[in-house]
Amino acid sequence: MPEIHHTDLLVVGAGPAGYTAAIYAARASLKPILVTGMQPGGQLTITTDVENYPGFATPVQGPWLMEQMRAQAEHVGTQLVYDLIVRADLKNGPGPDGYFRLVGDSGDEFRARTVVIATGAQAKWLGLESEKRLQRGGVSACATCDGFFYRGKTVAVIGGGNTAVEEGLYLTHHADKVHLIHRRDSLRAERILQERLFSNPKIEVHWNQAVEEILGSGEPEVVCGVALKDTQTGALSKLDVDGVFVAIGHTPNAGPFRHEVACDSDGYILTESSGTETSVKGVFAAGDIQDRIFRQAVTAAGTGCMAALEAERYLSGIPAMTKT
C-alpha cells in the first residue's frame, strides 16, 4: 500500500548537491527525507578517478565518493527513499496544512514543508555503443574533470557550440594537441570564443566530420582513435587520439518540476542570483539542475549546503504545523 511521508525538508536527487543538502538539514534537526531518483550518486557514478574534490590527496573513485556521501547523510539522520518523483504540486504554494505534495513512482505521497530540487543534468551523448563501452576508458563529457589526465597527449572534442569550444580551449592547458570535430562547416559558438579557438596553435578543426565509431585497444580497453565520415562526400578516415570529449550539451533533469517553478528555455531551474530559492517560496534548487556553467561536484555540494541553510531560515519563520 502507498505510504504518506511527512518531513520538514524533502530533498529530490542523490548527487553531491542532494546529499550535502540532506547532511546540513539533518544536522539542523529537520529530519530530511531524500528521494534518490533513477541514478543515486548522479554523474559521479560513471566517473573513475576524481582528483579535484577537496580533502583527498590522491584520486578517489566517483562511485566510492558518492557512497561516502550517502553513508554520511544516513549517519546524521537522513531517511533515504529509493523512489522517483513523478508529480509535484508546487506552483500554487503549500496546501492549507502547510505542506507541498509530491508523488513517487511507487505511489507514495511526500508532504514537505520545504523542498530542495537537486535532480542534476545529464550530458548528451552521441549514442554509439563504443562511446558507452569506453566511458571508463577515455571517453568523457567534462574537460574540467578529466583534462588533467591528458597532459602531453592528443585528444578530440566533439561538438560545435560554446561548450565544445570552451572544452577545447581548456584542454590546451594539458594536451599537446586538440582536434575539434564538427559535423558542419561552421561553429555555433560565440564569435569571441571562435576567435580564441582559431588563434590557438594547439587546436585543429575538422569540418563536416561525423564520428562513426570511437576506437579502443588494449586490456583494459582504452581509447586509441576515432573513425570519421565526411558528411558531404561520405569519405572515411581515422584520427589517432588518446581521449575523446563529447561536448554537445547537457539536458537538465527537470522532469515534473519543469512547469512548477520558473525555468529557462532549456529547462534549467532559475534561482535567485545570490541564493538557491526558486520562483516558489519554500522551494529551492541546487546543483546542476540550476547550474549550466560550472557543473562540478564541489560547486554542486556548495549549493546543496546553501539550499539547506536557506530552507532552515525559511522554516524558522513558519509556525509548526500539525500532520494531517
Side-chain angles (χ1 to χ4, degrees):
M1 289 290 292
E3 296 183 48
I4 297 178
H5 307 267
H6 288 84
T7 181
D8 283 335
L9 189 149
L10 180 73
V11 180
V12 185
Y19 281 137
T20 304
I23 290 166
Y24 273 80
R27 287 175 54 83
S29 300
L30 299 182
K31 298 181 180 178
I33 293 175
L34 187 152
V35 179
T36 62
M38 290 286 289
Q39 188 182 14
Q43 291 289 291
L44 280 184
T45 59
I46 60 170
T47 302
T48 51
D49 290 340
V50 177
E51 201 165 23
N52 57 3
Y53 198 85
F56 301 97
T58 58
V60 297
Q61 296 292 299
W64 177 87
L65 180 59
M66 297 317 303
E67 177 62 22
Q68 295 303 301
M69 290 190 187
R70 180 202 62 77
Q72 185 179 6
E74 287 190 301
H75 176 73
V76 294
T78 302
Q79 178 187 348
L80 262 64
V81 177
Y82 292 89
D83 203 346
L84 173 69
I85 297 299
V86 295
R87 192 174 80 240
D89 299 322
L90 305 177
K91 62 185 176 183
N92 295 319
D97 59 355
Y99 288 91
F100 294 100
R101 281 170 167 74
L102 301 91
V103 178
D105 186 58
S106 65
D108 282 9
E109 182 177 310
F110 299 86
R111 299 182 184 179
R113 296 173 67 199
T114 59
V115 178
V116 173
I117 304 168
T119 47
Q122 294 285 340
K124 294 179 181 178
W125 298 98
L126 300 170
L128 302 172
E129 186 278 330
S130 56
E131 171 189 56
K132 184 176 181 179
R133 188 179 74 247
L134 289 163
Q135 279 182 14
R136 294 180 181 269
V139 174
S140 174
C142 180
T144 310
C145 308
D146 300 323
F148 178 81
F149 301 111
Y150 295 91
R151 288 176 296 174
K153 297 186 178 182
T154 299
V155 298
V157 177
I158 303 167
N162 284 351
T163 299
V165 174
E166 289 169 350
E167 299 270 276
L169 289 168
Y170 176 82
L171 286 165
T172 61
H173 298 301
H174 302 289
D176 279 352
K177 182 73 174 182
V178 177
H179 295 281
L180 184 75
I181 300 168
H182 187 39
R183 60 184 302 116
R184 299 183 177 84
D185 59 3
S186 62
L187 301 175
R188 303 185 308 277
E190 296 173 1
R191 182 60 58 184
I192 189 170
L193 290 175
Q194 293 192 41
E195 291 172 358
R196 292 172 185 167
L197 180 89
F198 297 140
S199 64
N200 194 307
K202 284 189 174 183
I203 299 177
E204 180 180 351
V205 181
H206 300 262
W207 302 109
N208 301 310
Q209 297 293 320
V211 176
E212 291 282 286
E213 203 70 61
I214 297 174
L215 308 174
S217 65
E219 184 60 44
E221 190 179 17
V222 296
V223 168
C224 66
V226 288
L228 304 176
K229 181 177 182 179
D230 192 294
T231 57
Q232 293 186 333
T233 67
L236 302 176
S237 62
K238 177 188 171 185
L239 194 62
D240 293 329
V241 298
D242 302 299
V244 174
F245 290 83
V246 181
I248 55 177
H250 288 74
T251 302
N253 299 323
F257 306 107
R258 180 70 184 260
H259 302 294
E260 295 297 320
V261 295
C263 298
D264 68 13
S265 58
D266 293 323
Y268 288 90
I269 294 177
L270 298 173
T271 54
E272 295 292 332
S273 59
S274 60
T276 63
E277 189 169 55
T278 70
S279 58
V280 177
K281 296 293 184 182
V283 178
F284 307 86
D288 289 5
I289 188 64
Q290 53 87 233
D291 172 19
R292 62 186 305 152
I293 299 174
F294 300 105
R295 294 193 295 268
Q296 299 297 301
V298 67
T299 53
T303 55
C305 164
M306 292 166 59
L309 294 176
E310 288 191 282
E312 181 186 6
R313 292 169 186 163
Y314 171 84
L315 287 169
S316 68
I318 303 176
M321 297 293 179
T322 301
K323 295 180 182 180
T324 59

